[in-house]
Amino acid sequence: MVTVGLDFGSKSAKCVVMSDGSIRATAAGPVNFDTSSMVTLPTQTLMSAGIGAAEIHCVGYMGFAPTDAPEGYVHVSRVQAAVCAARFYFPAARTIVDIGAEQALAVACDESGAILDFAVNERCAAGSGSFLEAMSRALEAPLDTMPELALAARKKIELNTQCAIFAESEVIGLIHEGASKEDIAGAIHDSVAAKAASLVRRVGIHEDVVLLGGLGYNAAFVAALHRELSVKTLHVPSLPDYAMALGAALLCAETPVD
């Protein structure tokens, strides 16, 4: 059985094609707030996998997508998608944290995967990827160099605010005071991790803990979150940024389609 998962984030759309329980293809594209991207992205991804549209059982989608989805598309829960994706990679997952460009989600589930509690961040960039983007501009350092800078930090600095607007001014102040870019970058990553960890604590921290989202590629953030959560292991899947689309595809496989 072939299923497709779509995750419409604030910055990009992700697509995962699954066949018989395995990932066959992935792709990403820009978010268009109409039905065009809901059709073109899956079509392109299917073509890359050599799968015809007639083979699709259904398409599961979530996120910032239009309400008038094409026929055969099923809207899925972000919370459930996070659990399905985490347990696909790590069957023992009990606590899941998903960090996107502008949203953060924490979910706790029991041994069978049943959801116990979940929490989402406020409408604030502090605990998300966009905070790092804003701070990289304030630090005048390319975004892709931020993890390396943070890992080279030698002095512990704490940002006094987690608001992106005020934190930018604070970063500029630290630069004027002579703080190194490495130490400031370390403080920025610690700040994002602290905000994410506070969200996780609201649902309860239960081993095993899994991190989903694009920040899973950021070694400095992973290390900072690991420290903040004080867990034995923080698991990160091989394709953390496609995890929610994967979860949508997995949920779709369980959905009857007329």
Side-chain angles (χ1 to χ4, degrees), residues 1-4 42 46 51-59 72 252:
M1 178 171 61
V2 177
T3 59
V4 177
L46 287 164
I51 297 174
E55 300 178 62
I56 302 175
H57 170 68
C58 73
V59 178
C252 187

Side-chain angles (χ1 to χ4, degrees), residues 3 5 18-19 23 152 169 171-172 213 242:
T3 59
M18 295 199 71
S19 177
I23 299 174
S169 298
V171 166
I172 294 172
Y242 284 94

Side-chain angles (χ1 to χ4, degrees), residues 1-58:
M1 178 171 61
V2 177
T3 59
V4 177
L6 289 169
D7 172 22
F8 289 88
S10 59
K11 294 293 182 70
S12 65
K14 304 291 195 311
C15 180
V16 169
V17 174
M18 295 199 71
S19 177
D20 298 324
S22 299
I23 299 174
R24 288 284 299 275
T26 61
V31 175
N32 298 318
F33 295 97
D34 55 37
T35 56
S36 63
S37 58
M38 297 188 76
V39 175
T40 56
L41 186 57
T43 300
Q44 295 168 357
T45 314
L46 287 164
M47 288 178 62
S48 69
I51 297 174
E55 300 178 62
I56 302 175
H57 170 68
C58 73

